Amino acid sequence: MQRIIFNEDHHAFRASAKEYCDRSLVPRMEQFLEEKTIARAAWLEAGKQGFLGLDVPEEYGGSSVGDYRFNAVFAEEVSKVSASLSSCFGIHYDCSAPYLVDLGTEEQKQRWLPKFCSGELITAIGMTEPSGGSDLAALKTTAKKADGGWVVNGSKTFITNGDMADLVITAARTDPSKGAKGITLFAIEEGMDGFTRGRKLDKVGQTESGTSELFFTDVFVPDENVLGEVDRGFIHMMERLAQERIGAAVSNIAHATQILDETIEYVKGRKAFGRPVGSFQYNKFLIAELVTKAEVTQAYVDNAVVAHDEDRLSAVDAAKAKWWSAHVQNEILDACVQLHGGYGYMNEYRVARAWRDARVTKIWAGSNEIMKELIGRDLGL
């Protein structure tokens, strides 16, 4: 079914995004996989092309397009190359940008955003902790007031871009007596004494994304690096989770659809018993089901993208898009592996990598179980 949410400007932008991916990402994939990170050159090239400043005002080096559909287009094109590349870039231009733009002071914006847009300054978001998972209100990282700033102690884990981030938007507990209402956001920068990185985590999939542990030992963070209001960090995070989740949904279905398209071409050419394996009734019916699920899911996600662009996407609808797209993505990719037979289990085949990469989407950005809990509560259950 033809998608109707994009216009000529979006199509032209998609062509530019695809050209960037084909030129700067695809030829380097083996390097990224081997080094378990994205080369800085790829970030700088993305910045040069204007892909990192879509939500940043022009006076700070961005393009301030004011249209979330452009974010979605870039996410889709990168997702077609790799789910992990999409998550790394997405954390930066799609998730971090609203924190810096909406909550940053004029001095902070002048200091960080130009390099944010150029790719010289890479960001991460430090929320998840070893004992917390999806429970952001249970943070154990603390920040105690000191003369001229705060002293931060604690740790974060599963941090995308954590291996190379120059600035980490970090949630810390500033008033233990207030529970979730006693959390503050800090911009912790590379080079601050006591800020160290752990090993790159050995993950099942998404090998090329530099996911790391972060440690804070008596890190002095000046008042100038407080992001937003003191003790309102939890609210700041909740207000921006909808964009993170719709961004995840966009990437999920784009990633799955790309591999499904490649699988359809594969089963047309792969023969067994003298016939293309795609012509067997079971496989034909299975693929018909997968294509239908992909297109129906795409329609819902597209509707959510438009709703978010018009500032009417609810947290509950974002949760629906996130969990369902992750579910369908994993269902599609598992079937694609099966359709490839033994070759589907070989790492040299994109379908195998995609299958491994996708599994985490049912866990991050709020687990699918948490998403269903949010939806259930909204129904009065």
Side-chain angles (χ1 to χ4, degrees), residues 52-93:
L52 303 181
L54 297 174
D55 283 342
V56 177
E58 293 182 14
E59 59 263 37
Y60 305 114
S63 54
S64 190
V65 295
D67 184 342
Y68 188 75
R69 290 173 292 179
F70 286 98
N71 294 45
V73 166
F74 187 59
E76 288 179 357
E77 291 306 309
V78 178
S79 295
K80 293 174 184 178
V81 179
S82 159
S84 56
L85 297 191
S86 181
S87 70
C88 289
F89 283 119
I91 285 292
H92 181 79
Y93 83 90

mmCIF file of all heavy atoms in Angstrom, residues 52-93:
data_model
loop_
_atom_site.group_PDB
_atom_site.id
_atom_site.type_symbol
_atom_site.label_atom_id
_atom_site.label_comp_id
_atom_site.label_asym_id
_atom_site.label_seq_id
_atom_site.Cartn_x
_atom_site.Cartn_y
_atom_site.Cartn_z
ATOM 1 N N LEU A 52 22.246 15.636 11.532
ATOM 2 C CA LEU A 52 22.276 15.573 13.000
ATOM 3 C C LEU A 52 21.600 16.766 13.672
ATOM 4 O O LEU A 52 21.395 16.742 14.883
ATOM 5 C CB LEU A 52 23.729 15.460 13.485
ATOM 6 C CG LEU A 52 24.539 14.285 12.934
ATOM 7 C CD1 LEU A 52 25.939 14.282 13.526
ATOM 8 C CD2 LEU A 52 23.833 12.962 13.219
ATOM 9 N N GLY A 53 21.263 17.779 12.897
ATOM 10 C CA GLY A 53 20.687 18.981 13.499
ATOM 11 C C GLY A 53 19.262 19.255 13.082
ATOM 12 O O GLY A 53 18.826 20.413 13.050
ATOM 13 N N LEU A 54 18.505 18.200 12.775
ATOM 14 C CA LEU A 54 17.143 18.384 12.281
ATOM 15 C C LEU A 54 16.243 19.088 13.288
ATOM 16 O O LEU A 54 15.330 19.827 12.896
ATOM 17 C CB LEU A 54 16.540 17.028 11.905
ATOM 18 C CG LEU A 54 17.236 16.277 10.762
ATOM 19 C CD1 LEU A 54 16.618 14.887 10.592
ATOM 20 C CD2 LEU A 54 17.150 17.060 9.463
ATOM 21 N N ASP A 55 16.482 18.863 14.583
ATOM 22 C CA ASP A 55 15.642 19.470 15.620
ATOM 23 C C ASP A 55 16.313 20.668 16.291
ATOM 24 O O ASP A 55 15.817 21.175 17.301
ATOM 25 C CB ASP A 55 15.300 18.426 16.696
ATOM 26 C CG ASP A 55 14.217 17.462 16.242
ATOM 27 O OD1 ASP A 55 13.502 17.795 15.279
ATOM 28 O OD2 ASP A 55 14.090 16.380 16.840
ATOM 29 N N VAL A 56 17.434 21.128 15.732
ATOM 30 C CA VAL A 56 18.204 22.208 16.355
ATOM 31 C C VAL A 56 18.003 23.506 15.574
ATOM 32 O O VAL A 56 18.099 23.512 14.343
ATOM 33 C CB VAL A 56 19.703 21.846 16.392
ATOM 34 C CG1 VAL A 56 20.524 22.994 16.982
ATOM 35 C CG2 VAL A 56 19.914 20.569 17.208
ATOM 36 N N PRO A 57 17.720 24.619 16.259
ATOM 37 C CA PRO A 57 17.539 25.900 15.571
ATOM 38 C C PRO A 57 18.756 26.299 14.740
ATOM 39 O O PRO A 57 19.886 25.943 15.062
ATOM 40 C CB PRO A 57 17.306 26.885 16.723
ATOM 41 C CG PRO A 57 16.739 26.050 17.823
ATOM 42 C CD PRO A 57 17.450 24.730 17.713
ATOM 43 N N GLU A 58 18.510 27.065 13.694
ATOM 44 C CA GLU A 58 19.572 27.450 12.774
ATOM 45 C C GLU A 58 20.676 28.250 13.449
ATOM 46 O O GLU A 58 21.846 28.134 13.071
ATOM 47 C CB GLU A 58 18.975 28.252 11.612
ATOM 48 C CG GLU A 58 18.058 27.441 10.714
ATOM 49 C CD GLU A 58 17.515 28.241 9.547
ATOM 50 O OE1 GLU A 58 18.060 29.349 9.284
ATOM 51 O OE2 GLU A 58 16.555 27.781 8.909
ATOM 52 N N GLU A 59 20.323 29.066 14.430
ATOM 53 C CA GLU A 59 21.351 29.896 15.073
ATOM 54 C C GLU A 59 22.381 29.080 15.834
ATOM 55 O O GLU A 59 23.441 29.588 16.206
ATOM 56 C CB GLU A 59 20.716 30.930 16.017
ATOM 57 C CG GLU A 59 19.868 30.354 17.129
ATOM 58 C CD GLU A 59 18.390 30.343 16.786
ATOM 59 O OE1 GLU A 59 18.053 30.096 15.605
ATOM 60 O OE2 GLU A 59 17.576 30.596 17.692
ATOM 61 N N TYR A 60 22.090 27.801 16.059
ATOM 62 C CA TYR A 60 23.045 26.927 16.756
ATOM 63 C C TYR A 60 23.644 25.884 15.811
ATOM 64 O O TYR A 60 24.264 24.923 16.258
ATOM 65 C CB TYR A 60 22.363 26.233 17.930
ATOM 66 C CG TYR A 60 21.691 27.178 18.900
ATOM 67 C CD1 TYR A 60 20.299 27.168 19.045
ATOM 68 C CD2 TYR A 60 22.435 28.101 19.641
ATOM 69 C CE1 TYR A 60 19.670 28.041 19.921
ATOM 70 C CE2 TYR A 60 21.800 28.979 20.512
ATOM 71 C CZ TYR A 60 20.424 28.947 20.643
ATOM 72 O OH TYR A 60 19.805 29.810 21.509
ATOM 73 N N GLY A 61 23.431 26.055 14.518
ATOM 74 C CA GLY A 61 24.053 25.153 13.562
ATOM 75 C C GLY A 61 23.152 24.094 12.975
ATOM 76 O O GLY A 61 23.591 23.298 12.142
ATOM 77 N N GLY A 62 21.885 24.067 13.399
ATOM 78 C CA GLY A 62 20.966 23.063 12.885
ATOM 79 C C GLY A 62 20.128 23.582 11.739
ATOM 80 O O GLY A 62 20.370 24.679 11.210
ATOM 81 N N SER A 63 19.125 22.805 11.364
ATOM 82 C CA SER A 63 18.234 23.215 10.273
ATOM 83 C C SER A 63 16.838 23.531 10.763
ATOM 84 O O SER A 63 16.048 24.143 10.042
ATOM 85 C CB SER A 63 18.157 22.117 9.206
ATOM 86 O OG SER A 63 17.780 20.878 9.782
ATOM 87 N N SER A 64 16.513 23.097 11.990
ATOM 88 C CA SER A 64 15.225 23.400 12.609
ATOM 89 C C SER A 64 14.067 23.203 11.634
ATOM 90 O O SER A 64 13.258 24.095 11.405
ATOM 91 C CB SER A 64 15.217 24.835 13.150
ATOM 92 O OG SER A 64 14.079 25.075 13.951
ATOM 93 N N VAL A 65 13.993 22.007 11.058
ATOM 94 C CA VAL A 65 12.985 21.771 10.024
ATOM 95 C C VAL A 65 11.564 21.819 10.565
ATOM 96 O O VAL A 65 10.625 22.090 9.821
ATOM 97 C CB VAL A 65 13.233 20.415 9.322
ATOM 98 C CG1 VAL A 65 14.535 20.429 8.557
ATOM 99 C CG2 VAL A 65 13.230 19.267 10.323
ATOM 100 N N GLY A 66 11.398 21.542 11.862
ATOM 101 C CA GLY A 66 10.059 21.619 12.438
ATOM 102 C C GLY A 66 9.087 20.614 11.887
ATOM 103 O O GLY A 66 7.877 20.858 11.844
ATOM 104 N N ASP A 67 9.604 19.483 11.445
ATOM 105 C CA ASP A 67 8.760 18.456 10.828
ATOM 106 C C ASP A 67 9.377 17.103 11.180
ATOM 107 O O ASP A 67 10.418 16.724 10.634
ATOM 108 C CB ASP A 67 8.725 18.663 9.315
ATOM 109 C CG ASP A 67 7.796 17.685 8.595
ATOM 110 O OD1 ASP A 67 7.446 16.641 9.183
ATOM 111 O OD2 ASP A 67 7.442 17.955 7.424
ATOM 112 N N TYR A 68 8.720 16.373 12.082
ATOM 113 C CA TYR A 68 9.292 15.117 12.561
ATOM 114 C C TYR A 68 9.402 14.065 11.464
ATOM 115 O O TYR A 68 10.156 13.103 11.593
ATOM 116 C CB TYR A 68 8.459 14.567 13.733
ATOM 117 C CG TYR A 68 9.123 13.376 14.382
ATOM 118 C CD1 TYR A 68 10.223 13.552 15.217
ATOM 119 C CD2 TYR A 68 8.674 12.084 14.138
ATOM 120 C CE1 TYR A 68 10.862 12.463 15.792
ATOM 121 C CE2 TYR A 68 9.303 10.988 14.706
ATOM 122 C CZ TYR A 68 10.399 11.185 15.540
ATOM 123 O OH TYR A 68 11.043 10.111 16.093
ATOM 124 N N ARG A 69 8.698 14.250 10.369
ATOM 125 C CA ARG A 69 8.772 13.278 9.286
ATOM 126 C C ARG A 69 10.179 13.187 8.701
ATOM 127 O O ARG A 69 10.584 12.129 8.213
ATOM 128 C CB ARG A 69 7.742 13.619 8.206
ATOM 129 C CG ARG A 69 6.294 13.375 8.643
ATOM 130 C CD ARG A 69 5.303 13.884 7.614
ATOM 131 N NE ARG A 69 5.335 15.336 7.529
ATOM 132 C CZ ARG A 69 4.585 16.051 6.687
ATOM 133 N NH1 ARG A 69 3.753 15.425 5.861
ATOM 134 N NH2 ARG A 69 4.654 17.358 6.666
ATOM 135 N N PHE A 70 10.944 14.272 8.775
ATOM 136 C CA PHE A 70 12.329 14.219 8.303
ATOM 137 C C PHE A 70 13.172 13.328 9.222
ATOM 138 O O PHE A 70 14.021 12.569 8.753
ATOM 139 C CB PHE A 70 12.925 15.622 8.223
ATOM 140 C CG PHE A 70 12.420 16.426 7.059
ATOM 141 C CD1 PHE A 70 11.395 17.347 7.226
ATOM 142 C CD2 PHE A 70 12.958 16.256 5.793
ATOM 143 C CE1 PHE A 70 10.918 18.087 6.150
ATOM 144 C CE2 PHE A 70 12.489 16.993 4.708
ATOM 145 C CZ PHE A 70 11.461 17.906 4.890
ATOM 146 N N ASN A 71 12.935 13.414 10.528
ATOM 147 C CA ASN A 71 13.608 12.503 11.463
ATOM 148 C C ASN A 71 13.304 11.061 11.099
ATOM 149 O O ASN A 71 14.189 10.200 11.107
ATOM 150 C CB ASN A 71 13.133 12.766 12.896
ATOM 151 C CG ASN A 71 13.534 14.127 13.424
ATOM 152 O OD1 ASN A 71 13.408 15.137 12.729
ATOM 153 N ND2 ASN A 71 13.988 14.177 14.665
ATOM 154 N N ALA A 72 12.039 10.799 10.803
ATOM 155 C CA ALA A 72 11.612 9.434 10.482
ATOM 156 C C ALA A 72 12.277 8.940 9.199
ATOM 157 O O ALA A 72 12.704 7.778 9.119
ATOM 158 C CB ALA A 72 10.091 9.383 10.343
ATOM 159 N N VAL A 73 12.375 9.799 8.201
ATOM 160 C CA VAL A 73 12.992 9.396 6.937
ATOM 161 C C VAL A 73 14.454 8.992 7.154
ATOM 162 O O VAL A 73 14.907 7.955 6.651
ATOM 163 C CB VAL A 73 12.900 10.536 5.900
ATOM 164 C CG1 VAL A 73 13.823 10.265 4.711
ATOM 165 C CG2 VAL A 73 11.463 10.696 5.420
ATOM 166 N N PHE A 74 15.198 9.806 7.903
ATOM 167 C CA PHE A 74 16.604 9.476 8.136
ATOM 168 C C PHE A 74 16.731 8.178 8.926
ATOM 169 O O PHE A 74 17.566 7.320 8.620
ATOM 170 C CB PHE A 74 17.312 10.619 8.872
ATOM 171 C CG PHE A 74 18.798 10.409 9.004
ATOM 172 C CD1 PHE A 74 19.598 10.254 7.886
ATOM 173 C CD2 PHE A 74 19.393 10.362 10.260
ATOM 174 C CE1 PHE A 74 20.968 10.056 7.993
ATOM 175 C CE2 PHE A 74 20.770 10.171 10.388
ATOM 176 C CZ PHE A 74 21.555 10.013 9.250
ATOM 177 N N ALA A 75 15.874 8.002 9.935
ATOM 178 C CA ALA A 75 15.892 6.764 10.726
ATOM 179 C C ALA A 75 15.613 5.556 9.848
ATOM 180 O O ALA A 75 16.254 4.506 9.996
ATOM 181 C CB ALA A 75 14.873 6.847 11.861
ATOM 182 N N GLU A 76 14.670 5.675 8.937
ATOM 183 C CA GLU A 76 14.329 4.557 8.063
ATOM 184 C C GLU A 76 15.501 4.167 7.167
ATOM 185 O O GLU A 76 15.819 2.977 7.018
ATOM 186 C CB GLU A 76 13.109 4.912 7.211
ATOM 187 C CG GLU A 76 11.815 4.955 7.989
ATOM 188 C CD GLU A 76 10.614 5.338 7.146
ATOM 189 O OE1 GLU A 76 10.781 5.635 5.940
ATOM 190 O OE2 GLU A 76 9.497 5.335 7.686
ATOM 191 N N GLU A 77 16.151 5.152 6.576
ATOM 192 C CA GLU A 77 17.242 4.846 5.655
ATOM 193 C C GLU A 77 18.423 4.223 6.367
ATOM 194 O O GLU A 77 19.044 3.287 5.871
ATOM 195 C CB GLU A 77 17.652 6.107 4.890
ATOM 196 C CG GLU A 77 16.609 6.588 3.905
ATOM 197 C CD GLU A 77 16.179 5.506 2.924
ATOM 198 O OE1 GLU A 77 17.056 4.877 2.305
ATOM 199 O OE2 GLU A 77 14.957 5.269 2.808
ATOM 200 N N VAL A 78 18.752 4.716 7.559
ATOM 201 C CA VAL A 78 19.861 4.134 8.313
ATOM 202 C C VAL A 78 19.487 2.738 8.800
ATOM 203 O O VAL A 78 20.311 1.819 8.802
ATOM 204 C CB VAL A 78 20.266 5.033 9.486
ATOM 205 C CG1 VAL A 78 21.385 4.386 10.303
ATOM 206 C CG2 VAL A 78 20.739 6.399 8.982
ATOM 207 N N SER A 79 18.232 2.538 9.185
ATOM 208 C CA SER A 79 17.777 1.223 9.655
ATOM 209 C C SER A 79 17.882 0.167 8.575
ATOM 210 O O SER A 79 18.108 -1.011 8.868
ATOM 211 C CB SER A 79 16.325 1.301 10.142
ATOM 212 O OG SER A 79 16.214 2.136 11.273
ATOM 213 N N LYS A 80 17.721 0.565 7.326
ATOM 214 C CA LYS A 80 17.842 -0.384 6.225
ATOM 215 C C LYS A 80 19.266 -0.930 6.112
ATOM 216 O O LYS A 80 19.480 -2.032 5.627
ATOM 217 C CB LYS A 80 17.430 0.274 4.909
ATOM 218 C CG LYS A 80 15.947 0.627 4.830
ATOM 219 C CD LYS A 80 15.634 1.397 3.558
ATOM 220 C CE LYS A 80 14.176 1.836 3.519
ATOM 221 N NZ LYS A 80 13.872 2.622 2.302
ATOM 222 N N VAL A 81 20.228 -0.140 6.583
ATOM 223 C CA VAL A 81 21.626 -0.569 6.585
ATOM 224 C C VAL A 81 21.909 -1.428 7.802
ATOM 225 O O VAL A 81 22.484 -2.509 7.715
ATOM 226 C CB VAL A 81 22.580 0.642 6.561
ATOM 227 C CG1 VAL A 81 24.040 0.179 6.589
ATOM 228 C CG2 VAL A 81 22.317 1.514 5.353
ATOM 229 N N SER A 82 21.477 -0.942 8.978
ATOM 230 C CA SER A 82 21.768 -1.639 10.229
ATOM 231 C C SER A 82 20.905 -1.077 11.342
ATOM 232 O O SER A 82 20.824 0.148 11.514
ATOM 233 C CB SER A 82 23.254 -1.468 10.586
ATOM 234 O OG SER A 82 23.493 -1.684 11.951
ATOM 235 N N ALA A 83 20.315 -1.953 12.129
ATOM 236 C CA ALA A 83 19.501 -1.513 13.264
ATOM 237 C C ALA A 83 20.346 -0.805 14.306
ATOM 238 O O ALA A 83 19.901 0.159 14.942
ATOM 239 C CB ALA A 83 18.794 -2.710 13.889
ATOM 240 N N SER A 84 21.579 -1.259 14.493
ATOM 241 C CA SER A 84 22.410 -0.658 15.532
ATOM 242 C C SER A 84 22.900 0.721 15.129
ATOM 243 O O SER A 84 23.014 1.614 15.973
ATOM 244 C CB SER A 84 23.590 -1.565 15.874
ATOM 245 O OG SER A 84 24.345 -1.852 14.735
ATOM 246 N N LEU A 85 23.181 0.940 13.853
ATOM 247 C CA LEU A 85 23.573 2.281 13.422
ATOM 248 C C LEU A 85 22.421 3.252 13.641
ATOM 249 O O LEU A 85 22.625 4.396 14.064
ATOM 250 C CB LEU A 85 23.975 2.274 11.953
ATOM 251 C CG LEU A 85 25.193 1.443 11.540
ATOM 252 C CD1 LEU A 85 25.602 1.777 10.114
ATOM 253 C CD2 LEU A 85 26.360 1.658 12.477
ATOM 254 N N SER A 86 21.216 2.795 13.365
ATOM 255 C CA SER A 86 20.046 3.648 13.574
ATOM 256 C C SER A 86 19.881 4.010 15.038
ATOM 257 O O SER A 86 19.538 5.144 15.372
ATOM 258 C CB SER A 86 18.789 2.940 13.058
ATOM 259 O OG SER A 86 17.653 3.762 13.227
ATOM 260 N N SER A 87 20.144 3.056 15.929
ATOM 261 C CA SER A 87 20.003 3.353 17.357
ATOM 262 C C SER A 87 21.061 4.349 17.813
ATOM 263 O O SER A 87 20.770 5.253 18.599
ATOM 264 C CB SER A 87 20.075 2.067 18.186
ATOM 265 O OG SER A 87 21.372 1.522 18.174
ATOM 266 N N CYS A 88 22.291 4.210 17.293
ATOM 267 C CA CYS A 88 23.361 5.128 17.704
ATOM 268 C C CYS A 88 23.092 6.548 17.234
ATOM 269 O O CYS A 88 23.176 7.502 18.008
ATOM 270 C CB CYS A 88 24.703 4.638 17.156
ATOM 271 S SG CYS A 88 25.326 3.144 17.941
ATOM 272 N N PHE A 89 22.774 6.690 15.954
ATOM 273 C CA PHE A 89 22.463 8.023 15.446
ATOM 274 C C PHE A 89 21.185 8.554 16.084
ATOM 275 O O PHE A 89 21.081 9.742 16.394
ATOM 276 C CB PHE A 89 22.320 7.989 13.923
ATOM 277 C CG PHE A 89 23.624 7.925 13.183
ATOM 278 C CD1 PHE A 89 23.932 6.854 12.364
ATOM 279 C CD2 PHE A 89 24.562 8.940 13.302
ATOM 280 C CE1 PHE A 89 25.138 6.796 11.682
ATOM 281 C CE2 PHE A 89 25.774 8.895 12.624
ATOM 282 C CZ PHE A 89 26.056 7.813 11.807
ATOM 283 N N GLY A 90 20.200 7.662 16.267
ATOM 284 C CA GLY A 90 18.921 8.092 16.829
ATOM 285 C C GLY A 90 19.030 8.634 18.237
ATOM 286 O O GLY A 90 18.381 9.628 18.585
ATOM 287 N N ILE A 91 19.837 7.984 19.064
ATOM 288 C CA ILE A 91 20.039 8.489 20.423
ATOM 289 C C ILE A 91 20.538 9.918 20.388
ATOM 290 O O ILE A 91 20.148 10.772 21.196
ATOM 291 C CB ILE A 91 21.039 7.586 21.190
ATOM 292 C CG1 ILE A 91 20.365 6.269 21.611
ATOM 293 C CG2 ILE A 91 21.621 8.296 22.415
ATOM 294 C CD1 ILE A 91 19.291 6.423 22.674
ATOM 295 N N HIS A 92 21.398 10.211 19.413
ATOM 296 C CA HIS A 92 22.004 11.541 19.311
ATOM 297 C C HIS A 92 21.020 12.569 18.759
ATOM 298 O O HIS A 92 20.593 13.477 19.472
ATOM 299 C CB HIS A 92 23.251 11.444 18.424
ATOM 300 C CG HIS A 92 23.981 12.733 18.243
ATOM 301 N ND1 HIS A 92 24.837 13.236 19.201
ATOM 302 C CD2 HIS A 92 23.996 13.627 17.221
ATOM 303 C CE1 HIS A 92 25.352 14.371 18.772
ATOM 304 N NE2 HIS A 92 24.847 14.637 17.570
ATOM 305 N N TYR A 93 20.631 12.416 17.471
ATOM 306 C CA TYR A 93 19.873 13.487 16.817
ATOM 307 C C TYR A 93 18.388 13.479 17.174
ATOM 308 O O TYR A 93 17.712 14.511 17.076
ATOM 309 C CB TYR A 93 20.045 13.409 15.299
ATOM 310 C CG TYR A 93 19.141 12.436 14.597
ATOM 311 C CD1 TYR A 93 17.889 12.816 14.118
ATOM 312 C CD2 TYR A 93 19.530 11.102 14.410
ATOM 313 C CE1 TYR A 93 17.057 11.912 13.486
ATOM 314 C CE2 TYR A 93 18.705 10.196 13.769
ATOM 315 C CZ TYR A 93 17.471 10.607 13.309
ATOM 316 O OH TYR A 93 16.649 9.703 12.688
#
